[in-house]
Amino acid sequence: MSETRSAKADAHENETETETKSIVLVGVGGQGILLASEILAQAAMLEGYDVKTNEVHGMAQRGGSVMAQIRYGKDVKSPLVARNGAHILGSLEKVEALRFSDYIRPEGLAVVSTQAIMPVTVSTNAASYPTDAQAEDRLRRAFPRLVYIDATKIADNLGDIRAANIVILGAISKGLDLPLAAWEKAISLCVKERFLETNRRAFAAGRNYR
């Protein structure tokens, strides 16, 4: 679902931090951002929270940016996360984390995959992409609370590189107040049976990563 910004977008100001949690997930098309968003929302709903989500696909089918916003609490007024309003930013691509860094609050938690996906502007020499060292330095300066994780390698070791999104979700789960049982149930509801065991293991790997 997609919404344009309106006066409704600022309604979150009436929601205290203890009542409403705001999470932003970003990446590029094909990385599974929307599945991760669905699982997170489902886990919150299973705990009885009011949940609202917003998805911005951009040019997802061409590898463009994808962003999902999830907000849950007792009474959530809007699905839109304000700039500097997210408790957690989760990113499946490191430069995408920098692109959306203004969404996270100063004390927020950033969970970022080390994966690099070169945009078309780089492949056509219209722009440059930072080196690994440059990207990590920028990320550590941008996010005082950073979990920098090689989610693709972890997922690949589990037998399915496509589960990197669930590895990131597992790491994110440590920063939220939702119990493990809710996450496990949400995964079982959102993931096809033949992929369930791999995704459970991917989630556990991310949750236990430190």
Side-chain angles (χ1 to χ4, degrees):
M1 135 178 100
S2 177
E3 280 193 25
T4 57
R5 184 165 290 277
S6 66
K8 182 181 178 182
D10 296 321
H12 70 90
E13 293 179 359
N14 296 321
E15 303 160 2
T16 67
E17 290 183 24
T18 55
E19 288 177 332
T20 301
K21 296 293 185 185
S22 298
I23 303 95
V24 173
L25 304 178
V26 300
V28 301
Q31 286 192 294
I33 290 293
L34 302 186
L35 174 60
S37 170
E38 181 184 357
I39 292 171
L40 200 165
Q42 185 66 243
M45 286 189 286
L46 288 167
E47 285 301 293
Y49 288 111
D50 181 25
V51 181
K52 289 185 172 59
T53 64
N54 180 59
E55 299 156 2
V56 180
H57 297 259
M59 296 177 68
Q61 298 303 316
R62 298 184 183 180
S65 295
V66 178
M67 176 174 66
Q69 300 172 327
I70 308 97
R71 307 189 72 232
Y72 71 85
K74 182 179 178 180
D75 182 22
V76 182
K77 306 299 183 183
S78 169
L80 301 179
V81 178
R83 307 283 177 169
N84 300 310
H87 295 84
I88 294 180
L89 172 70
S91 180
L92 280 161
E93 203 281 342
K94 55 190 175 184
V95 169
E96 290 299 311
L98 293 169
R99 187 194 307 276
F100 292 98
S101 61
D102 59 344
Y103 272 92
I104 194 170
R105 55 184 60 196
E107 73 280 10
L109 172 66
V111 177
V112 181
S113 173
T114 62
Q115 185 174 15
I117 299 178
M118 305 296 170
V120 173
T121 52
V122 172
S123 61
T124 58
N125 297 317
S128 61
Y129 194 95
T131 65
D132 290 345
Q134 289 171 337
E136 182 171 356
D137 179 64
R138 293 176 191 176
L139 287 165
R140 295 198 181 281
R141 285 189 283 111
F143 308 116
R145 294 179 62 204
L146 173 67
V147 175
Y148 197 43
I149 177 173
D150 193 341
T152 53
K153 181 178 179 180
I154 292 172
D156 194 29
N157 288 340
L158 293 173
D160 191 343
I161 198 170
R162 295 172 297 179
N165 60 334
I166 308 303
V167 174
I168 292 293
L169 192 62
I172 285 171
S173 74
K174 294 291 286 185
L176 295 172
D177 55 358
L178 301 173
L180 179 58
W183 290 104
E184 291 175 340
K185 179 65 173 177
I187 291 170
S188 69
L189 291 172
C190 299
V191 175
K192 294 179 180 179
E193 180 66 30
R194 67 181 183 275
F195 302 123
L196 193 52
E197 183 56 30
T198 298
N199 279 270
R200 283 172 175 161
R201 293 168 61 204
F203 182 85
R207 187 174 175 87
N208 294 326
Y209 180 83
R210 280 301 179 269

